[in-house]
Amino acid sequence: MRDTPSGPGSRAVSRREALRYAAAASAVAGLGATAAGVAAPTASAAGATLIDFAMKQIPAEAIRAAGHAGVINYVSTSRPGSSFGAKPITLPYARSLHAAGLVIVSNFQYGKPGGTAPSDFTRGFAGGVADARTAWQLHTAAGGGQTAPVYFSVDDDIDRNTWNTVALPWFRGINSVIGVLRTGVYGGIDVCEWAIADGVIGRSSTPGKAWAWQTRSWSRGKIHPAAVLYQRIIDTASNPGPLVGGSRVDVNDVLAADVGQWNLHP
């Protein structure tokens, strides 16, 4: 939840584009204002939030109406036997989000524990290479920022040995394609700590922060001080997330002005 093409040449900016850029800048300013007040993030942070979801593309207007600043959207495809409307993010959908002044952050997750495809992190160095190529191709095809990170998911409760022998080689493979600076991690607090300590994820421009999107799961009620995002509400059958545009979503607290949003990383 690949290789970087060269950037576009200079050209005149239309009035419509100017308005879109102004809206995007406004969204970034909003994240910055929120993060400025976050000295010691907690699970009940009341600042800006981003939502993540897979079932369908939620209209930008509904996301704004619900009070969220943007989305974390997939740059991966659906697993065999499933068909998620929001996987992967598309260029028209991304444009609609930008036009509404919403920010976008990229996440890769194809496999899942117990799913029809194994967890991505189990696929080793070669799997990391393949996943990074897929993620970057989908990211750029949707208009993703050329220096923006992609968060790669460790959606499981793993121990240090599994990290060292299984997940770490996968991240090394990812790094070999898109570089450390454009690599982020999604996982529990230990996974975030290990990724930072082993130098396989990049740093945010917000001082003291890294590309760590931490989930409440497997985190023992703690938040890593370097995390830029915290998945506080997780939609499950037994504990449904809030409805936005008719779909249940996960809700993530923004813990830094720079969380890797596209428009801050052109």
Side-chain angles (χ1 to χ4, degrees), residues 150-204:
V150 175
Y151 291 85
F152 290 83
S153 301
V154 180
D155 196 8
D156 207 347
D157 186 15
I158 65 173
D159 59 20
R160 185 58 190 259
N161 182 65
T162 302
W163 168 264
N164 289 340
T165 60
V166 181
L168 184 56
W170 180 62
F171 273 97
R172 299 286 190 208
I174 293 166
N175 292 163
S176 75
V177 175
I178 64 173
V180 172
L181 295 179
R182 294 186 299 194
T183 303
V185 66
Y186 164 90
I189 190 169
D190 291 336
V191 165
C192 292
E193 170 60 30
W194 300 331
I196 293 168
D198 287 329
V200 292
I201 62 173
R203 293 279 176 174
S204 164

Side-chain angles (χ1 to χ4, degrees), residues 244-255:
V244 178
S247 293
R248 298 287 181 186
V249 301
D250 301 330
V251 179
N252 304 271
D253 293 326
V254 171
L255 305 181

Side-chain angles (χ1 to χ4, degrees), residues 3-266:
D3 294 335
T4 309
S6 57
S10 60
R11 58 182 177 84
V13 178
S14 69
R15 182 175 181 275
R16 178 177 296 179
E17 287 174 316
L19 290 173
R20 176 165 61 85
Y21 296 152
S26 175
V28 171
L31 291 185
T34 298
V38 181
T42 67
S44 60
T49 52
L50 305 182
I51 58 173
D52 66 277
F53 49 90
M55 191 58 63
K56 68 175 186 178
Q57 293 178 342
I58 300 173
E61 296 76 13
I63 297 171
R64 278 194 64 105
H68 301 293
V71 305
I72 306 168
N73 217 315
Y74 289 99
V75 288
S76 50
T77 57
S78 297
R79 293 180 292 278
S82 62
S83 180
F84 295 110
K87 297 182 73 171
I89 187 171
T90 61
L91 181 58
Y93 184 56
R95 284 175 172 167
S96 74
L97 295 170
H98 283 310
L102 299 171
V103 301
I104 304 171
V105 175
S106 290
N107 167 241
F108 180 92
Q109 183 175 2
Y110 178 71
K112 182 179 181 179
T116 55
S119 296
D120 303 324
F121 72 86
T122 65
R123 299 182 345 100
F125 186 94
V129 169
D131 290 341
R133 287 175 176 166
T134 296
W136 198 250
Q137 188 276 322
L138 294 172
H139 171 87
T140 55
Q146 297 298 293
T147 61
V150 175
Y151 291 85
F152 290 83
S153 301
V154 180
D155 196 8
D156 207 347
D157 186 15
I158 65 173
D159 59 20
R160 185 58 190 259
N161 182 65
T162 302
W163 168 264
N164 289 340
T165 60
V166 181
L168 184 56
W170 180 62
F171 273 97
R172 299 286 190 208
I174 293 166
N175 292 163
S176 75
V177 175
I178 64 173
V180 172
L181 295 179
R182 294 186 299 194
T183 303
V185 66
Y186 164 90
I189 190 169
D190 291 336
V191 165
C192 292
E193 170 60 30
W194 300 331
I196 293 168
D198 287 329
V200 292
I201 62 173
R203 293 279 176 174
S204 164
S205 66
T206 302
K209 297 291 188 176
W211 299 140
W213 173 18
Q214 184 186 333
T215 176
R216 177 171 56 84
S217 301
W218 320 303
S219 291
R220 305 179 297 280
K222 301 176 182 178
I223 300 178
H224 196 285
V228 292
L229 291 163
Y230 181 71
Q231 191 179 55
R232 175 170 46 89
I233 298 176
I234 304 169
D235 176 50
T236 63
S238 59
N239 190 24
L243 277 171
V244 178
S247 293
R248 298 287 181 186
V249 301
D250 301 330
V251 179
N252 304 271
D253 293 326
V254 171
L255 305 181
D258 180 5
V259 299
Q261 57 267 46
W262 292 4
N263 53 323
L264 200 58
H265 295 271

